[in-house]
Amino acid sequence: MKTLRGDHNLFIRVNKDGSKALKIRPFRWTFCILLALAFILSYKQDVQVLEGSMIASRLMGFHMVDLFSGLEVIAAHGKIATNLFMGFIFVAVVYFILGGRSFCSWACPYGLLSEWGEILHKKLVHAGLIKKRKKITTSWKFFIALCFLASSYFSGYLVYQYINLVGITSRILIYGLLETGIIVLFMLIIEVFFYQRVWCRSVCPSGATFGLLGKVSLIRIQADITKCDKCGACTPECHVPEALKVVFAKDAQPTVFITSTDCTMCGKCMDVCDKQVFSYSHRLKKLV
């Protein structure tokens, strides 16, 4: 692999002309960590800025709720409280603008742990200690989401919340509930040694729900196909490489938006591409 692409550096990208630029990754990691710290400070120091967890919270008193968790409440109880409904709508609007599964790579605490697990896996493979992992299809997550909703509907319980790694990781960080950490550790071991990002790719109903917004969201990653030489360097770096199929399609337009429900808006395609094919853009400019 060419060192020109700067893959060896976590935070700096080297462009084809030799210029250097800060990758998207440090911005994502910083935002995710600051978000977690805001929850922790609100609980530990009674700051009351961002209270609750990543599943249900209040931003300076205004309610927010994870979209799938809101759907699960409706399925289990047949109704949703006014504040919960307002929080559901607010979050839906935010991610309609920001890009569907951007939650997964910019806000989700387990998503960050999973990405660190990805880095650990590559180091272990490079050292010859383990082999590369298998991938499970991404389409399973929609079936799993429907199964959880059906389970909540028939049982009257929020079934998914018992194993929701997003909520569990968030509560461990905020409240120190370490006894639930075994579930998170178990999944990380599976991801590092056996299956690539299996929770985020194939299981998480929250990611599946946010992903549906990605088909219509305003801000998306745009690819300038005229700059692309089809080298494929972006594919192994992408959290969900299937999302990049549109870039390599034979009938691709000069510029295309990546609207896959799998795209997490992580920007790793930008981080690795020395030809600056990819960029954040919005679809409103087509209307102007």
Side-chain angles (χ1 to χ4, degrees), residues 225 230 245-256:
I225 306 301
K230 311 297 183 184
K245 287 181 179 179
V246 64
V247 177
F248 299 101
K250 292 182 179 180
D251 57 348
Q253 299 297 314
T255 58
V256 295

Side-chain angles (χ1 to χ4, degrees), residues 137-151:
T137 177
T138 62
S139 59
W140 274 106
K141 60 183 179 291
F142 296 106
F143 174 73
I144 291 173
L146 290 174
C147 286
F148 275 121
L149 287 178
S151 298

Side-chain angles (χ1 to χ4, degrees), residues 40-203:
I40 294 170
L41 288 174
S42 291
Y43 174 68
K44 299 289 187 181
Q45 303 298 326
D46 197 27
V47 177
Q48 297 184 1
V49 173
L50 190 57
E51 304 168 277
S53 72
M54 295 302 298
I55 301 305
S57 58
R58 291 190 301 175
L59 177 62
M60 293 183 288
F62 189 83
H63 291 262
M64 298 186 294
V65 64
D66 167 69
L67 296 184
F68 184 79
S69 299
L71 293 176
E72 196 176 26
V73 169
I74 296 173
H77 305 302
K79 59 182 179 181
I80 185 169
T82 301
N83 284 338
L84 202 61
F85 176 75
M86 293 176 62
F88 181 94
I89 296 300
F90 175 75
V91 170
V93 170
V94 167
Y95 285 100
F96 164 72
I97 296 171
L98 296 181
R101 291 193 69 178
S102 57
F103 167 84
C104 302
S105 59
W106 287 84
C108 178
Y110 182 79
L112 181 57
L113 289 180
S114 184
E115 187 171 351
W116 289 346
E118 188 84 1
I119 294 171
L120 174 60
H121 168 81
K122 290 181 178 179
K123 289 184 178 297
L124 293 175
V125 170
H126 182 73
L129 297 176
I130 62 174
K131 296 181 179 180
K132 290 186 177 181
R133 304 148 302 174
K134 299 178 180 179
K135 292 180 182 178
I136 300 178
T137 177
T138 62
S139 59
W140 274 106
K141 60 183 179 291
F142 296 106
F143 174 73
I144 291 173
L146 290 174
C147 286
F148 275 121
L149 287 178
S151 298
S152 295
Y153 175 79
F154 288 111
S155 70
Y157 291 96
L158 306 182
V159 179
Y160 170 58
Q161 300 310 319
Y162 290 103
I163 64 163
N164 183 357
L165 294 190
V166 181
I168 291 172
T169 306
S170 183
R171 290 191 293 272
I172 289 173
L173 292 172
I174 300 166
Y175 308 117
L177 302 176
L178 296 179
E179 62 272 16
T180 59
I182 188 66
I183 303 176
V184 177
L185 180 61
F186 175 74
M187 184 57 67
L188 284 173
I189 290 173
I190 290 177
E191 293 191 344
V192 171
F193 294 98
F194 302 106
Y195 295 99
Q196 182 181 10
R197 297 181 68 89
V198 63
W199 177 263
C200 302
R201 283 176 52 89
S202 309
V203 178

